[in-house]
């Protein structure tokens, strides 16, 4: 008997109705109204506050920073190029962070004293330095020594910083796979490397996807810090535009919105992937 | 059917977990083609004993030889040896992210480097043998416990193992599924496979065992052919244990 079976007439007495007030509060419409009132209130307060300061809103000047269409044709604006830079920077740093994080997690789980010591040393070192200081170390100290520019200093700094967090995600994901899986893999003659590759890691993916998304979002956001060494990404571009135009309210609102759109798209995309994995296993 | 050559030999083997003495001076051997059933109270070291045979655990002293190879932690031969020795676990331990067919072929393909088509043919042959050929493309979670355990048996057989170890293979099963697994094991015994089975299924033991072993407190207390083991065990501990599990 399914819910869509319209011929179904229950023999039992219907359940007592809920309180009318409780039904209203739980309804979707009520949630949307409440949400709109709160957001609208905040926007109104900000806006009227700015009016009171005599702030001169110039939203009409914002679109040109995304793209312009002139006699020369279509051209991307500064915010768009900055966004692309932010995305390539974050993506490269994230890829490196995943590799480094996996390596650290495997070293730590290897059971060999030397490897564990190396991994723990790396983790504690990075974990106890503020991100900003780490960035200065990479740019002012390691950069000149090893000969990389500000762009690569940013990427490496972000990669190292996030590798620490990602290695914990890997470690938890690997440990979440039951011990019996190791035993079964071992008992059919697999080496440790084969067991990781074919049995353990594929199963850990399911446990790791949600926190990994969180890390990817975190990466996009913390990439803003590289504006302090003037890498021309989104935040730096925002600052540059403001120093030319003094439109700080419009630009910061816009930059914040762009970050939000990117991270939201990331979260939604991954939740689709997650659902696929949930069905497969 | 049983040859005389010992394929598994424990010679004064001891095993510790930290300070805990889990196997005490074990000396026993299993002939090629022999079916040995091991029983004993929980915690007596039965699992430890058979897990040492394929190096899932390593003993601390004494000599353990399996198929002519000495088992110890750094042995270069340990991976090859594990291919010769199949193991069936109480909790099945199928790979949940792989289909039944992939569960059976991953070992042959990745470890034994058999071609995928040959591995699949072998896998289908053994699925037939354990009577679930129609489940090949399902994931383990979609199978009943009894079916999962039969897949696990087939997975070991696909490695063309010469020795099969069973660690309480029916203990996690609902009662109505126990026999479908035991039937498969009886058939396997009839093919002349060397088997070491930890189980409390005494009906099965009577049917297939060449040798019964009773363990208690990390020691082998009694080793006897089933006729004598069930009718006239030498030790009082063994008799008490049998009384306990046979009267219900
Ligand atoms: N990995 C381990 N670490 C420490 N003690 C263990 C471990 N495995 C088993 N033991 C101990 O060794 C004894 C024998 O265990 P086991 O061989 O599993 O017994 P059985 O299979 O007969 O129930 C038990 O007391 C158990 O607590
Ligand atoms: Mg046990």
């Amino acid at each position: 008997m399914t819910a869509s079976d319209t011929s179904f007439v229950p023999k039992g007495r219907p359940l007592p109705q809920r309180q009318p007030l409780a039904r209203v509060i739980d309804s979707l419409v009520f949630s949307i109204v409440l949400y709109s009132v709160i957001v609208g209130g905040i926007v109104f307060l900000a806006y009227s506050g700015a009016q009171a300061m005599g702030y001169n809103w110039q939203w009409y000047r914002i679109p040109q920073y995304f793209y312009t269409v002139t006699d020369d044709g279509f051209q991307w604006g500064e915010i768009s190029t900055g966004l692309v830079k932010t995305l390539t920077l974050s993506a490269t740093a994230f890829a490196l962070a995943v590799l480094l994080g996996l390596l650290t997690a495997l070293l730590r789980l290897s059971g060999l004293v030397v490897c564990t010591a190396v991994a723990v040393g790396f983790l504690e070192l990075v974990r106890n330095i503020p991100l900003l200081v780490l960035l200065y170390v990479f740019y002012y100290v390691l950069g000149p020594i090893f000969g990389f520019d500000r762009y690569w200093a940013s990427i490496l700094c972000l990669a190292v910083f996030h590798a620490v967090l990602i290695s914990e995600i890997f470690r938890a994901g690997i440990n979440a796979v039951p011990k019996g899986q190791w035993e079964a893999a071992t008992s059919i003659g697999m080496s440790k490397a084969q067991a990781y590759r074919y049995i353990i890691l594929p199963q850990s993916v399911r446990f790791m996807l949600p926190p990994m998304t969180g890390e990817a979002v975190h990466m996009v956001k913390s990439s803003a810090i590289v504006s302090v060494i003037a890498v021309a990404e989104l935040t730096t571009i925002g600052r540059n535009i403001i120093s030319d135009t003094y439109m700080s309210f419009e630009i910061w609102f816009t930059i914040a919105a762009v970050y939000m759109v990117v991270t939201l798209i990331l979260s939604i995309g991954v939740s689709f992937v997650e659902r696929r994995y949930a069905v497969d296993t | 059917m049983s040859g005389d050559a010992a394929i598994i030999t424990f010679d004064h083997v001891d095993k510790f977990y930290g300070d805990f003495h889990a196997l005490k001076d074990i000396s026993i051997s299993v002939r090629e083609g022999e079916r040995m059933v091991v029983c004993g109270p929980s915690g007596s070291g039965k699992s430890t004993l058979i897990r040492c045979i394929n190096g899932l655990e390593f003993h601390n002293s004494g000599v353990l030889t399996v198929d002519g190879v000495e088992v110890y932690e750094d042995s270069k031969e340990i991976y090859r040896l594990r291919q010769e020795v199949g193991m069936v676990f109480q909790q099945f331990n199928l790979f949940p992210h792989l289909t039944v067919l992939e569960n059976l072929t991953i070992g042959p393909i990745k470890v034994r480097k058999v071609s995928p088509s040959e591995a699949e043919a072998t896998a289908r042959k053994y699925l037939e043998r354990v009577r679930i050929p129609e489940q090949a493309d399902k994931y383990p979670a979609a199978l009943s416990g009894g079916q999962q355990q039969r897949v696990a048996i087939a997975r070991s057989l696909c490695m063309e193992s010469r020795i099969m170890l069973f660690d309480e293979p029916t203990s996690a099963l609902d009662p109505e599924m126990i026999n479908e697994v035991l039937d498969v094991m009886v058939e396997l015994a009839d093919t002349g496979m060397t088997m070491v089975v930890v189980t409390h299924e005494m009906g099965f033991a009577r049917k297939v065992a060449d040798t019964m072993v009773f363990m208690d407190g990390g020691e082998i207390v009694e080793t006897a052919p089933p006729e004598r083991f069930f009718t006239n065990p030498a030790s009082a501990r063994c008799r008490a244990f049998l009384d306990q599990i046979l009267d219900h």
Side-chain angles (χ1 to χ4, degrees):
Chain A
M1 181 112 12
T2 60
S4 59
D5 189 347
T6 47
S7 64
F8 172 66
V9 180
K11 292 212 178 64
R13 171 177 71 73
L15 294 171
Q17 288 294 306
R18 301 186 61 196
Q19 294 294 320
L21 186 63
R23 270 187 291 158
V24 169
I25 290 177
D26 278 355
S27 73
L28 182 65
V29 177
F30 183 81
S31 306
I32 291 173
V33 169
L34 188 66
Y35 184 80
S36 309
V37 166
I38 291 173
V39 171
I42 291 171
V43 168
F44 174 77
L45 284 177
Y47 193 76
S48 57
Q51 291 298 92
M53 284 170 57
Y55 188 83
N56 174 26
W57 292 97
Q58 304 177 66
W59 281 108
Y60 68 92
R61 289 176 65 189
I62 295 298
Q64 59 170 316
Y65 294 110
F66 284 94
Y67 65 90
T68 48
V69 185
T70 59
D71 296 343
D72 301 339
F74 181 89
Q75 271 193 316
W76 288 112
E78 281 179 79
I79 291 185
S80 301
T81 51
L83 173 61
V84 170
K85 194 79 159 197
T86 286
L87 292 180
T88 50
L89 185 97
S90 309
T92 315
F94 193 73
L96 286 177
V98 168
L99 288 180
L100 195 57
L102 178 60
L103 185 72
T104 311
L106 293 181
L107 282 181
R108 192 151 176 213
L109 293 169
S110 66
L112 303 172
V113 178
V114 186
C115 297
T116 311
V118 169
V120 172
F122 170 70
L123 291 175
E124 290 305 327
L125 185 71
V126 175
R127 214 190 319 238
N128 291 299
I129 300 177
L131 178 54
L132 186 58
V133 175
L134 200 63
L135 182 63
Y136 287 149
V137 168
F138 269 88
Y139 182 51
Y140 292 111
V141 181
L142 301 180
I145 294 177
F146 295 103
F148 46 77
D149 61 4
R150 64 183 74 216
Y151 183 64
W152 280 98
S154 314
I155 287 181
L156 293 175
C157 168
L158 288 171
V160 163
F161 184 75
H162 285 269
V164 166
L165 307 166
I166 287 175
S167 87
E168 288 300 314
I169 295 175
F170 272 114
R171 199 165 73 100
I174 288 167
N175 283 338
V177 176
K179 205 162 140 266
Q181 293 293 309
W182 277 108
E183 295 179 349
T186 307
S187 77
I188 57 172
M190 286 193 177
S191 65
K192 208 166 174 186
Q194 287 174 320
Y196 266 123
R197 173 151 171 225
Y198 300 115
I199 307 301
I200 305 300
L201 287 177
Q203 292 184 58
S204 331
V205 168
R206 197 160 36 108
F207 304 112
M208 295 184 315
L209 265 182
M212 279 292 185
T213 322
E215 269 314 298
V217 167
H218 189 183
M219 173 70 87
V220 171
K221 290 187 296 178
S222 57
S223 73
I225 199 168
V226 309
S227 64
V228 301
I229 57 170
V231 172
E233 45 67 72
L234 200 48
T235 305
T236 308
I237 297 284
R239 285 210 316 205
N240 291 348
I241 297 174
I242 289 165
S243 64
D244 292 343
T245 63
Y246 301 103
M247 298 191 293
S248 47
F249 284 23
E250 295 90 330
I251 292 295
W252 285 133
F253 274 131
T254 307
I255 299 286
V258 172
Y259 275 113
M260 226 176 82
V261 168
V262 169
T263 54
L264 280 179
I265 289 175
L266 215 53
S267 305
I268 293 168
V270 174
S271 75
F272 275 110
V273 179
E274 254 166 51
R275 225 165 292 157
R276 220 213 55 188
Y277 265 89
V279 173
D280 263 2
T281 54
Chain B
M1 183 181 293
S2 318
D4 286 332
I7 195 166
I8 303 171
T9 314
F10 286 77
D11 185 16
H12 298 289
V13 167
D14 281 270
K15 161 79 183 164
F16 291 84
Y17 291 111
D19 288 338
F20 183 75
H21 203 166
L23 293 181
K24 296 174 184 159
D25 191 22
I26 302 289
S27 289
I28 195 172
S29 65
V30 182
R31 285 168 287 114
E32 183 145 19
E34 180 174 353
R35 276 90 60 166
M36 179 180 281
V37 170
V38 181
C39 61
S42 169
S44 58
K46 309 178 296 294
S47 298
T48 305
L49 181 81
I50 67 167
R51 289 158 63 88
C52 282
I53 296 174
N54 69 346
L56 277 184
E57 300 287 352
F58 291 99
H59 60 287
N60 301 98
S61 61
V63 181
L64 169 55
T65 316
V66 179
D67 201 15
V69 174
E70 188 177 346
V71 181
Y72 60 99
E73 190 151 9
D74 296 322
S75 167
K76 298 270 183 299
E77 306 255 31
I78 194 79
Y79 296 106
R80 189 190 64 72
L81 185 67
R82 286 181 181 136
Q83 298 173 36
E84 306 288 314
V85 184
M87 182 147 197
V88 175
F89 301 87
Q90 182 174 350
Q91 300 297 340
F92 328 139
N93 294 352
L94 293 179
F95 305 131
H97 62 303
L98 302 177
T99 64
V100 165
L101 193 65
E102 290 165 341
N103 264 275
L104 302 199
T105 56
I106 191 157
I109 293 172
K110 302 301 180 192
V111 179
R112 299 189 50 141
K113 313 292 183 196
V114 170
S115 78
S117 58
E118 191 184 328
E120 183 176 336
T122 310
R124 292 199 186 275
K125 178 178 88 182
Y126 284 117
L127 278 180
E128 199 85 49
R129 170 96 68 89
V130 300
R131 300 194 205 95
I132 34 177
E134 71 285 358
Q135 311 284 2
D137 298 316
K138 291 197 183 157
Y139 283 90
L143 271 53
S144 73
Q147 291 173 326
Q148 289 192 46
Q149 194 59 298
R150 285 183 284 151
V151 172
I153 294 172
R155 176 172 68 184
S156 292
L157 293 174
C158 282
M159 293 299 288
E160 308 288 5
S161 310
R162 302 176 53 217
I163 302 170
M164 289 282 283
L165 309 174
F166 294 83
D167 192 357
E168 306 204 29
T170 57
S171 298
L173 295 175
D174 292 334
E176 78 274 16
M177 293 175 185
I178 289 176
N179 280 329
E180 65 190 54
V181 172
L182 291 179
D183 288 347
V184 166
M185 290 171 61
V186 171
E187 277 175 29
L188 189 61
D190 289 342
T191 67
M193 175 74 77
T194 307
M195 294 165 72
V196 180
V197 185
V198 175
T199 186
H200 292 157
E201 293 295 331
M202 289 305 150
F204 168 82
R206 279 206 175 90
K207 211 180 293 177
V208 308
D210 297 312
T211 311
M212 295 296 303
V213 170
F214 172 73
M215 289 187 74
D216 194 13
E219 294 170 303
I220 292 183
V221 175
E222 179 124 11
T223 310
E227 314 82 61
R228 199 174 77 225
F229 185 86
F230 288 111
T231 53
N232 190 19
S235 84
R237 274 193 282 177
C238 183
R239 206 169 305 139
F241 175 77
L242 285 176
D243 284 346
Q244 229 172 26
I245 63 168
L246 289 178
D247 73 19
H248 55 129

